[in-house]
Amino acid sequence: MKKFFLVCCLLLIALCCSLAHAGEVERFKLDNGLTVLLKENHETKVVAVQVWVKAGSAYEKPGEEGITHLLEHMMFKGSAAHPAGELSNLVEGYGGEVNAYTTTDHTNYHLQAASMHAPELVELMADAIINAAISREELALEKEVVLEEMRRQNDNPESRLALKLMEVGYGANHPFGKPVIGTKASVSAIVREDIMNYRQRLYRGPNMVLVVTGDFDSNALKPIIIKAFTPLPAGRVEALSLPPAASAGKPQLFIMREAVSQATISLVWPAAGLPSDDVFPLDAAAAIMGDGLTSRLFWQLKEHLRLVDEVGAYAYTPLGPGLFAMQATMEPGQVASAWQPMLSEAYGLLRQPAQNQELSRIRANISAEFVRGNQTMDGMAEKLGYFELLRGGYENAAHYLDRFRQVNSALISSTMQKYLNPQQLKMVIQLPEGADAPSQAQVEALARKVWEQANTPRPADSRLVRTLGNGLTLIVVPRHSVPLVSMALAVPHGLAAEKPQQAGINQLWASCITSGNQQYSYGQMAHILESRAATMQGFANRSNMGLSASFLSDDWQEGLGLLATAWQTPTFLPADLGRAKEEQMAGLRAQQDAPTYPIMAAARALLYPDHPYGREPLGSNASIQAITGQELQTLHQNLRRTQGAVLVLVGDIDPAEAQAHVEQLWAKEPALTLGADNQPVGPAPASQEKNLAAGERQQTQIMVGFRAPGADSHDKYATIMLQTILDGMGGRLFMELREKQSLAYTVFSFYNMNLNSGTFAIYIACDPSKQKAALTGIAQQLDLLRNVPVSELELARAKNYFLGTEAVAQQTYNIQAITMARDYLMGLGIDHQTKMAEYINGITPQQIMEAAQKIFDLNHQLTVRYGPAAP
């Protein structure tokens, strides 16, 4: 569920779960009070540099609303040493990326790139933080960008709900209840002097933490850090003082009637935040109630009552007062039936205290997160910075795990008793006009009733590549830095083979394949996986389908057995199929509310008429409902016999032992004799334009699309470079259309590569009055690429950026396994990732210009507009 509380309220657990081995961290302080943390890790050639500041929207004074976020935008907008745009261009030229984010209680600036550029990253970060010019011209442009960001938020139902939850949870006048981004009036009124004064007040050494993680030499980097950050001002910063969340002294109901296809019910109570010790039982309660397929809310509301599509519980514990929340999405007609059992289940931990198996499950999951989080340098830096700035020191990450393990059933129940008082409850329901909803009186009455019921006393790397006898290719790649094993089993059958009358069957198969088999039911599979902090899921995309899984290395043999059982003996029982159909149709409804869905769907249909690539991968309600269990079984038996199948194992595993185990499990599998039945892609359609009216929107979205090379074409590498030159914060689209012309907050390009075809598109969302200028700007950039060779310097930046981001993306075992399986099935070879640098570095400016001339063909350009017409 991509809701505010999923992203924000689980931040604490996500951040605290990767520093089990933080003993090698070196901490020192500069004379100006800046804390510096260094952690070397030489396993990957990546370095991450982050600056954390105790400066969030809660620190803003009246009239400053949104200034923290605006300052964050301005920090990388140029200094005397590096004019506007140069910093991001340099970082991307190092194969890296630059970004930042603002919250209620802190701001984080982060860079990462290839490790050979660690000194330059430190110097660039220091220059941005200390010397950002905040020019009036750049400020005027960036304020326009922020206003576009606001419009994007206002067009997104999830964003509107998230803002409403914070306003309701804390009160409209509370610092946490106001939008972090500010308002149109407040941001428009901010001037340069306001930002300079705000920065002078909070951007001081004692209020900040610098973190560097990755492949570098601490002794060599420390003098560079000291020199670069010594000019940072010193001096004490006034501590943040926050009032408690607002309370009406009775349950409150808030109804949001909006143009949405899916309804959402949210329950919110004021709770503790940092530094209270109550955050530990709050996190544990949230995990038991709403984390995973065996959580209480999931089993009661989704599995047993079948009332909701998704449900979860979240503890939001920032620096200051926090919130405890539960949230569920559903078909609008279910609101009237769902709100009562949802509110009743909120008090389940008082009626039935946490059981031993529930405590074991959440402890296993958080322990596994400690392991998984250590895989990326950026993630490691984020955890170090968070704990150092907000939780009393990075060492407390390990203490958190110890404290979490000490939480018992009695402590969880007493904490829920403390905070879930019905007098503090706020219920927020987002739903369309006409859908039934409860009244204020009904909510008050039920809240009192379930509270009384709950309080009634009750009784107590030397990889292996082998082809098995039946034709399955086995690839084992040992990795030993973390005790994990990831698996990917894939076959060359995807959307391109899907028949129109069975639209959505592949996605339905992916949902059902792990739901149950001849050995384990759906519930048994879910229990086994979650009790071992493991994952397993089916996948289905354009060119391939299969299963992926991840297990702790102690459990890899059992995990491989579970994967084999799921693959070899699925049952597709009516109950499991019905559940999957409901979820898939819920996904369709959710897509209809996504701001970009209409334009993406229209562009897809225009680019691939009469081909499965042009259809909605989820199908339609009618096609989903018509699919039978027998059809799924037939599809699956064909998949089991499809030639070219591959099984990839990556992680802490012995190749010979893995081969023996796989051969035993696959000994009776049928021979792979069927060819992939993929429909060939026809010629590119002629140029077309399509306008989709949406007068209620504040922005007009524009997409310009083309057919592009597929995986079978060597032109794909020049196309990758073409897309990289256009995209990114140092790319042409961002620099020209956003930075120089302030046409949009969001502008990007993308290149999707399929087996024998690809898609290249440019997307921009802008004010309706700017759409003509946006289309002109896009056309100018494409024309330049067709007619003017890119410079060697720009091409070098693009190559470094792409290869650096690829290195960052390939850090986790799960991604490595899935990528290797995909490359094998596309005919790229199992060494494709290791040879990528060779292919990319061989691309010339002439090849890029030739690729642009082939792809950006005005005779085959498709343009879609979605939103209000130009005024």
Side-chain angles (χ1 to χ4, degrees), residues 512-529 532 536 551 557-567 569-573 576 579:
C512 288
I513 187 62
T514 57
S515 292
N517 50 68
Q518 294 177 13
Q519 187 170 352
Y520 300 109
S521 69
Y522 171 72
Q524 289 171 326
M525 284 287 288
H527 176 75
I528 293 170
L529 292 170
R532 288 153 181 76
M536 184 185 299
F551 291 84
Q557 291 190 2
E558 180 184 13
L560 187 60
L562 287 171
L563 184 140
T565 299
W567 180 255
T569 64
T571 49
F572 303 114
L573 295 176
D576 298 330
R579 183 190 310 108

Side-chain angles (χ1 to χ4, degrees), residues 46 87-99 111-114 117 121 720-732 734 747-749 793-809 836 840-841:
V46 176
L87 184 145
S88 58
N89 199 26
L90 285 171
V91 174
E92 291 185 357
Y94 301 151
E97 58 184 17
V98 51
N99 216 326
L111 310 176
Q112 68 172 343
H117 301 292
L121 288 184
I720 289 171
M721 287 296 90
L722 191 61
Q723 190 270 335
T724 309
I725 287 166
L726 282 173
D727 209 35
M729 295 181 67
R732 293 188 180 188
F734 188 94
V747 57
F748 60 86
S749 66
L793 181 63
E794 185 177 21
L795 180 53
R797 182 206 73 85
K799 290 177 178 179
N800 287 337
Y801 175 61
F802 174 76
L803 294 173
T805 54
E806 277 291 287
V808 171
M836 183 69 77
I840 293 297
N841 285 325

Side-chain angles (χ1 to χ4, degrees), residues 304-332:
H304 177 56
L305 298 177
R306 311 299 288 272
L307 293 172
V308 304
D309 299 324
E310 296 184 57
V311 64
Y314 321 98
Y316 177 51
T317 54
L319 190 63
L323 299 174
F324 190 88
M326 299 177 185
Q327 194 169 76
T329 60
M330 66 215 69
E331 193 274 324

